[in-house]
Structures are given as C-alpha cells and as structure tokens.
C-alpha cells in the first residue's frame, strides 16, 4: 500500500510540475535559442529570420545565444541539461546531431537528450573555388586534384562540419584526396578561400553568394540532388559525372527531452505557420535558404535516418577529429 501511495504521490507531483511549466512558459518569459554555430553562418541567418517572426507569433521574446566551442558540443549540452520548460531551445544542425556523435564521445544523446520541435531550413550548398584555380567544373577539379597530389587544399568550418562532410563525400565518390584546412566557422573559411589561403570548399549558398557575385569566388556546382533557384544556372555535382551525390545541411529546433508536449506542439504549430509565410519564404530565399516544414514526429524520424547516414559517411571517409 505504501508503495502504491508513493507512486500516486509522484505521479501527482509530476502532473503539477508539467502544468506549472506550461503555465510559466505561456506567461511571456524570454525564450533562448542556443545555437552552437557562428554568428553570420547560413544556419545562424536562417534562425534569426525565422525566430524573429516566431517571437511575434508566440508573443514571446526570443533571443539567439551563439554558444560555439567543442565542435558544437558545449551549446548542445547546455540545452540538453536545461530546465525543460520551453524557455530554452537548441538551434542545431546535422553536423552537431548527425555527425559529431560519430567522431567522439559527446555529453548528450541526439535521440534521447532532445525532443524535436521542427525543422527550420535546408541550406543549399555550393562547391566554390578561388578564381586562380584553373577549373570551371567538377570534372576539371577532379582531374586537377589527381594531377597535383597533395597540392590542393579545401576549407571547412571545422572537423565534422557541414563543409567537411560535403567534401569528404566528394573525395570518397571520386577517389580524390585534398588537404583539409579547418577554420573557426564557415564564414571565415569562405573568406579564406576568397583570399587564396585555400583553393576550394563546399559552403552554404547564402554564405558564399555575395563573394561569388563580387567575383572573389567561382561557383562550379551545387551539392543537392536538384539545382537551386539561388544559382539556377549552376549544375549539380551529380549532373557533372558523380552519380548519386546529394548533400545539403539542415538546421532545426529541438528542446530538452522532458519538455511538455503541449509546449512543444504550440511552438511547432506556430513555426509551421511562420515557415509558410510568404515574407519568411522571401527573406530566406534572398539569403539562399529554403524553408523546411516538419512536424516534431517527422523531424524525429528524419534525424534518425540522417544520423545513420552520417555514420556511414564518417566511416567511409575515415574521418577523425
């Protein structure tokens, strides 16, 4: 009997706690979106555009907190350990949730530490080169790398970053090998290629497009399965003789695992409306970003599949920190 009464008491306490958390969240407290990504990166830009409108839709102040370090593990752990009341979310991408756990032990579990809220955006990725590199397409790049072993370098935002993954996939698919030069973020990496410190890289179109338009970078391919409106005349990697190549980074919102479903569903519902708002779509498109609408359940399934896919990519590339 005592055991039964104890269980009832615990269940009652849990119900009151969940109700209190939901009420507190609805009271207009500031929501912090921790993102382990650098200010000015494509993912950061997408988050700021979307959360600006999401704040208005929820009547909740939302601030972005860029917590970089340890390849994203610091920021992700902060959210995983945060009070599960809806006031702390993570703006995480596939490099953090899909790749990093395969590179080393991390203080969170992508599937168990978080509750998916919804996808925010897919960031179409471009393969760009410094204009001094004598290549104009993927096949010319492959031939140049093979003819100049050990002499071609590529930039990324760090080991296990979206840029690193995209290039590793190309190396495996084409039997090439270049020198990896990791920078502290995708934006500094793009500047490094434009300045001639490194010759080539994959990066979010929104990040490199201004440099392409300025003539400081040359775009020779896009990484996704289809061409993207932001670079409509630029063919995909697959179109240029690398069948099956398909890569795009994504950014989404997740909450601490114990966050009440009613809170998550409210945010998710408003997020869907924001992502379908024509002004949001235009603002994202102007930055080379595509909105991506998913329910929490759809995002959970997508994350699981992406996690499994990235395990194979990391293994095939022999990727190590």
């Amino acid at each position: 009997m005592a055991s039964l009464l104890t269980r009832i008491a615990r269940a009652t306490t849990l119900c009151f706690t969940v109700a209190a958390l939901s009420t507190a969240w609805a009271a207009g407290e500031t929501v912090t979106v921790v993102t382990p990504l650098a200010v000015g990166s494509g993912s950061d830009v997408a988050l700021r555009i979307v959360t600006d409108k999401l704040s208005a839709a929820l009547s909740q102040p939302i601030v972005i907190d860029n917590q970089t370090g340890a390849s994203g593990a610091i920021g992700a752990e902060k959210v995983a350990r945060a009070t599960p009341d809806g006031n702390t979310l993570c703006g995480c991408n596939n490099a953090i949730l899909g790749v990093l756990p395969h590179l080393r032990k991390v203080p969170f579990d992508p599937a168990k530490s978080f509750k998916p809220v919804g996808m925010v955006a897919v960031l179409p990725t471009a393969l760009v080169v410094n204009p001094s590199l004598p290549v104009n397409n993927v096949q010319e790049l492959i031939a140049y790398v093979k003819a100049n072993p050990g002499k071609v370098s590529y930039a990324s935002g760090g080991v296990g970053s979206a840029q690193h993954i995209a290039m590793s996939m190309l190396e495996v698919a084409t039997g090439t090998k270049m020198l990896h030069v990791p920078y502290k973020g995708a934006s500094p990496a793009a500047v490094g290629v434009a300045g001639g410190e490194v010759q080539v890289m994959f990066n979010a179109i929104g990040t490199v497009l201004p440099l392409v338009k300025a003539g400081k970078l040359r775009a020779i391919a896009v990484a996704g399965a289809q061409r993207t409106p932001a670079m409509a005349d630029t063919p995909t990697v697959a179109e240029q003789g690398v069948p099956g190549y398909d890569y795009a980074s994504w950014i989404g919102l997740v909450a601490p695992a114990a966050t009440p479903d009613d809170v998550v569903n409210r945010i998710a519902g408003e997020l869907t409306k924001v992502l379908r708002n024509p002004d949001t779509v235009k603002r994202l498109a102007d930055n080379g970003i595509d909105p991506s609408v998913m329910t929490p359940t759809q995002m959970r399934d997508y994350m699981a599949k992406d996690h499994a896919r990235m395990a194979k990519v990391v293994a095939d590339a022999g990727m190590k920190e």
Side-chain angles (χ1 to χ4, degrees), residues 1 18 34 40 50 146 149 175 187 216 248 274-275 287 302 307 316:
M1 177 64 72
V18 170
V34 176
V50 172
K146 290 183 176 180
S187 296
K216 296 180 179 180
V274 165
L275 291 172
N287 286 276
Y302 184 90
H307 186 266
D316 289 348

Side-chain angles (χ1 to χ4, degrees), residues 102-303:
H102 299 302
L103 291 175
R104 60 178 167 85
K105 186 176 181 179
V106 292
F108 60 87
D109 183 308
K112 297 179 180 179
S113 300
F114 306 104
K115 181 174 288 186
V117 176
M119 198 65 75
V120 171
V122 171
L123 286 74
T125 300
L127 177 59
V128 296
V129 301
N130 182 280
S132 66
L133 195 69
V135 303
N136 294 287
N137 55 57
V138 173
Q139 288 304 320
E140 288 182 0
L141 174 63
I142 295 169
Y144 187 85
V145 171
K146 290 183 176 180
N148 296 273
K151 295 183 180 180
V152 180
S153 57
Y154 73 93
S156 83
V159 175
S161 65
Q163 304 81 38
H164 188 195
I165 288 291
M167 191 62 79
S168 295
M169 288 173 61
L170 182 65
E171 288 180 319
V172 170
T174 60
T176 54
K177 192 65 179 177
M178 291 171 270
L179 176 65
H180 179 209
V181 181
Y183 284 72
K184 293 182 179 180
S187 296
V191 173
V193 179
E197 297 173 354
V198 188
Q199 293 106 319
V200 59
M201 80 174 302
F202 279 99
N203 209 335
I205 287 177
T207 301
V208 299
L209 193 56
L211 293 169
V212 171
K213 290 181 177 180
K216 296 180 179 180
L217 291 175
R218 179 188 303 131
I220 63 173
V222 293
Q226 299 177 336
R227 296 192 188 193
T228 181
M231 288 184 173
D233 296 329
T234 305
T236 67
V237 172
E239 284 181 276
Q240 298 185 63
V242 188
Y245 186 93
D246 178 12
Y247 180 81
S249 60
W250 54 262
I251 181 75
L253 292 177
V254 297
T259 304
D261 287 341
D262 64 328
V263 172
V264 168
N265 290 336
R266 184 184 169 202
I267 301 172
E270 294 301 333
L271 177 62
T272 294
K273 295 175 186 177
V274 165
L275 291 172
R276 288 175 173 162
N277 182 297
D279 184 62
T280 306
V281 174
K282 182 181 186 303
R283 288 182 64 191
L284 290 171
D286 288 345
N287 286 276
I289 302 168
D290 298 333
S292 180
V293 177
M294 288 188 191
T295 65
T297 299
Q298 289 171 330
M299 186 178 176
R300 181 197 63 205
D301 295 342
Y302 184 90
M303 284 171 54

